[in-house]
RNA sequence: GCGGGUGUAGCUCAAUGGUAGAGUGCUAGCCUUCCAAGCUAGCUAUGCGGGUUCGAUUCCCGUCACCCGCUCCA
């Protein structure tokens, strides 16, 4: 996820209007998202989707699946792309996570400064050793290029001849020598704690014996389940490179600090697609997918003003992406990052890292033989990966939709794009008598087979409109006392509160047409 | 994991070392001819655990959760 960047909003955005407190309160009050195990006091970093939340999440997920697997985009050459779906197991052979690098690199040893309460990643620090007296200074690598740091170092070491000091990785300093270490933000010795590991993968045990030999991991990303099936797809599914494999599913990370509602939770859902191509074409496809993915977020209702593409800095790139054409994040201006942005999706060139690793560890050939060109060639495909956060996408849609409007009873409404709205239409008899409920129910039974519809006869009509504003229902259809006579109903539009009279037998088609826009 | 803050009905907010009250919401009924109208009845709370005390929602300790900052984030 991106560094929050100080970008001035060009115009009024949703992020200026909604506070997270208001959004979280609405999500609970209207049944979008609840804290997990709430009656037991909750559990840090886990959330439950309520009736409205799961409808919204499924709408976003289904749209992604449709636009990736059912009807993938037309490629840059005008040819339709080939993408297939899988649904792999959450638990795999633990060797898969050794091969992918997660067992080793999902450990981040940290040291704390007891004095300043600051925390540092051990492997991001360097040790400056004064061999004359054994004194050790710890600094961030990049801080050594800072004049102030160098000045402090000269002063503390009591010499101007810094070249006499030896710079080595801090990881090379044994914990028993920490007593001689002066931390980055203090001038006292011995304030750093021993490094502590934070393993970000959830462990579990397979089988009943639960010994160390039975350890397995909950997947920290869905991507590996795709690489593990790459060979099955190539061998059995009559595909040619380039092609893609897509998957939606849960992933688990034991985050040090879950924060910001569902933005960083320990159990979350990803929508990932791995695009396999020839190494020479990686750049072309990277650019294609970057563009396609940003447009997709706009298509589901995220305003371009709240979206940005942010290329990763070189030192920010993942281990697998260092040699590639790079990584770009699609970022959204979340309420808690505004005026900066936070990651919604990452498009990464993973090179051939994963397939090569699995080839090494499994002993199975991952090479692809391409005889569609002359001369025929063998290669391990490179991968372009658009990896989106479904959970984060839901949060973006919620934040984007929240619209204050003091002129209406609800004071606000959820301006979902109609196709994403949890409830598409509500059927409301104006009165609970005079045959109105009978007409309304008949319409409701018909409409609910086509799209999510609610029947609501409780309270007066104003209260019902207000509730549907709060859950973002784009269309309310009211059956009134004229309906039995003129066979027409009133449709009320969420965003404008305007009303229109439509024939009873045309209303369903009317809504269906409106949902496509 | 560290530091600071918070924790009373679904929500917003009162009160108190002596058994918690309002508004709103919700439920049922009446009523109701298009934007939270009205009437009647009803439901719902001191996060959890321990201590001090005759008695704790109130004071103390612990814990859990949330918020802010740090840290981290394939």
């Amino acid at each position: 996820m991106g560094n929050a960047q100080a970008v001035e909003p060009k115009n009024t955005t949703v992020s200026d209007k909604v506070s997270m407190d208001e959004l979280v309160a609405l999500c609970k009050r209207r049944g979008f998202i609840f804290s997990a195990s709430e009656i037991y006091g909750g559990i840090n970093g886990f959330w439950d989707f309520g009736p409205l939340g799961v409808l919204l999440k499924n709408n976003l997920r289904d749209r992604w699946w449709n636009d990736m697997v059912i009807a993938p985009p037309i490629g840059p050459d005008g040819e339709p792309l080939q993408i297939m779906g899988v649904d792999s197991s959450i638990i795999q052979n633990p060797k898969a996570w050794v091969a992918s690098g997660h067992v080793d690199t999902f450990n981040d040893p940290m040291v704390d400064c007891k004095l300043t309460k600051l925390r540092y990643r051990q492997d991001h620090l360097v040790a400056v050793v004064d061999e004359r007296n054994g004194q050790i200074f710890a600094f961030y690598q990049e801080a050594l290029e800072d004049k102030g740091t160098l000045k402090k170092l000269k002063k503390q070491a009591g010499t101007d001849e810094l070249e006499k000091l030896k710079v080595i990785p801090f990881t090379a300093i044994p914990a028993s020598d920490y007593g001689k270490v002066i931390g980055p933000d203090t001038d006292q010795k011995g304030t750093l704690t021993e490094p502590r590991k934070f393993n970000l993968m959830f462990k579990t045990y397979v089988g009943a014996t639960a010994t160390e030999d039975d350890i397995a991991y909950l997947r920290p990303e869905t991507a590996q389940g795709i690489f593990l099936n790459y060979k099955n797809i190539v061998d059995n599914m009559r595909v040619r490179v380039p092609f893609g494999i897509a998957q939606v599913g849960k992933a688990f990370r034991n985050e040090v600090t879950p924060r910001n509602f569902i933005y960083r939770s320990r159990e979350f859902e990803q929508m990932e697609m791995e695009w396999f191509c020839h190494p020479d074409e990686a750049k072309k496809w990277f650019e294609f997918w970057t563009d396609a993915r940003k447009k997709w977020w706009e298509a589901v209702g995220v305003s371009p003003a709240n979206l940005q593409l942010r290329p990763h800095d070189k030192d920010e790139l993942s281990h697998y992406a260092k040699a590639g054409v790079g990584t770009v994040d699609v970022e959204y201006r979340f309420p808690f990052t505004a005026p900066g942005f936070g990651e919604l999706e990452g498009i990464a060139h993973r090179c051939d890292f994963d397939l090569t690793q699995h080839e090494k560890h499994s002993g199975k050939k991952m090479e692809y033989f391409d005889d569609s060109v002359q001369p025929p060639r063998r290669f391990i495909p490179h991968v372009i990966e658009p990896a989106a956060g479904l959970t984060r996408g839901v949060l973006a849609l919620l934040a984007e939709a929240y619209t204050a409007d003091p002129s209406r009873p609800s004071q606000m409404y959820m301006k979902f794009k109609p196709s994403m709205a949890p409830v598409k239409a509500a059927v409301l008899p104006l009165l609970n008598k005079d045959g109105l409920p009978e007409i309304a129910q008949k319409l409701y039974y018909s409409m609910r087979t086509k799209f999510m519809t609610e029947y609501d006869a409780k309270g007066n009509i104003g209260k019902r409109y207000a509730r549907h504003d709060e859950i973002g229902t784009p269309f309310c259809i009211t059956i009134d006392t004229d309906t039995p006579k003129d066979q027409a109903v009133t449709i009320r539009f969420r965003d404008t509160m305007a009303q229109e009279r439509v024939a009873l037998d045309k209303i369903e088609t009317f809504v269906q047409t409106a949902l496509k826009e």
Side-chain angles (χ1 to χ4, degrees), chain A residues 130 133 135 137 139 151-159 182-183 186-188:
Chain A
D130 187 340
N133 53 15
Q135 180 67 56
F137 305 90
F139 287 103
K151 199 173 164 189
K152 178 190 164 192
L153 188 56
K154 284 178 188 173
K155 193 179 163 194
Q156 292 184 338
T159 174
I182 294 179
T186 179
D187 51 12
Q188 292 189 29

Side-chain angles (χ1 to χ4, degrees), chain A residues 8 32 120 176 239 256 266 273 299 417:
Chain A
E8 284 300 314
F32 283 93
Y120 311 96
S176 54
V239 285
V256 178
R266 290 181 166 139
M273 196 276 289
K417 181 149 188 167

Side-chain angles (χ1 to χ4, degrees), chain A residues 438-457:
Chain A
E438 288 76 5
I439 299 173
Q441 276 174 9
K442 194 179 165 205
L443 178 62
Y444 164 64
Y445 289 145
S446 173
M447 284 175 71
R448 72 177 189 177
T449 65
K450 313 290 195 319
F451 41 80
M452 184 66 200
T453 309
E454 275 195 3
Y455 177 81
D456 191 353

Side-chain angles (χ1 to χ4, degrees), chain A residues 164 184 320 511:
Chain A
K164 289 193 175 167
Y320 54 70
V511 173

Side-chain angles (χ1 to χ4, degrees), chain A residues 12-13 126 138 152 197 287 312 331 349 422 431 468 505 509:
Chain A
T12 309
T13 68
V126 292
K152 178 190 164 192
K197 278 192 172 184
E287 283 162 6
H312 280 209
E331 298 191 327
H349 177 201
L431 300 173
H468 282 286
D505 61 359
T509 319

Side-chain angles (χ1 to χ4, degrees), chain A residues 194-361:
Chain A
E194 286 188 24
R196 281 175 288 201
K197 278 192 172 184
F198 292 82
N199 192 317
L200 294 186
M201 275 201 294
F202 280 96
K203 277 183 194 166
T204 189
Y205 300 92
V206 173
T209 51
T211 69
E212 289 296 299
D213 293 339
D214 304 320
I215 284 182
Y217 302 97
L218 305 192
R219 66 182 177 204
E221 63 173 20
T222 57
Q224 292 305 323
I226 293 178
F227 296 125
L228 294 170
N229 281 293
Y230 160 80
K231 215 173 144 45
N232 286 334
I233 303 283
V234 169
D235 291 349
N236 299 306
M237 300 309 295
R238 304 184 304 167
V239 285
R240 307 288 312 162
V241 169
F243 71 95
I245 307 178
Q247 171 161 234
V248 180
K250 289 278 178 93
F252 305 83
R253 286 180 205 170
N254 214 345
E255 294 287 355
V256 178
T257 313
R259 273 293 157 85
N260 294 323
F261 199 30
I262 58 171
Y263 181 76
R264 181 180 304 145
S265 44
R266 290 181 166 139
E267 174 176 342
F268 57 100
E269 219 159 339
Q270 294 184 305
M271 307 185 289
E272 298 196 290
M273 196 276 289
E274 308 300 326
W275 181 254
F276 300 91
C277 63
H278 188 273
D280 293 348
E281 296 193 325
K283 188 165 184 294
K284 173 181 98 173
W285 288 112
F286 180 79
E287 283 162 6
F288 172 81
W289 282 112
T290 300
D291 179 59
R293 296 306 304 152
K294 179 162 187 284
K295 284 187 177 133
W296 187 83
W297 285 107
E298 291 168 12
V300 297
V302 181
S303 98
N306 288 329
L307 277 179
Q308 73 168 15
L309 291 174
R310 191 184 66 82
H312 280 209
D313 298 331
K314 271 189 186 137
D315 57 2
E316 195 183 350
L317 289 172
S318 313
H319 59 275
Y320 54 70
K322 290 244 190 301
V325 300
T327 296
V328 168
D329 283 345
V330 182
E331 298 191 327
Y332 178 69
R333 183 186 279 126
F334 288 98
F336 48 83
T337 58
F341 292 75
E343 182 187 341
L344 201 52
E345 171 160 357
I347 296 114
H349 177 201
R350 292 182 79 127
C351 306
D352 58 359
F353 176 85
D354 301 276
L355 291 181
T356 302
Q357 283 297 108
H358 287 303
E359 180 170 286
K360 259 187 233 165
H361 284 76

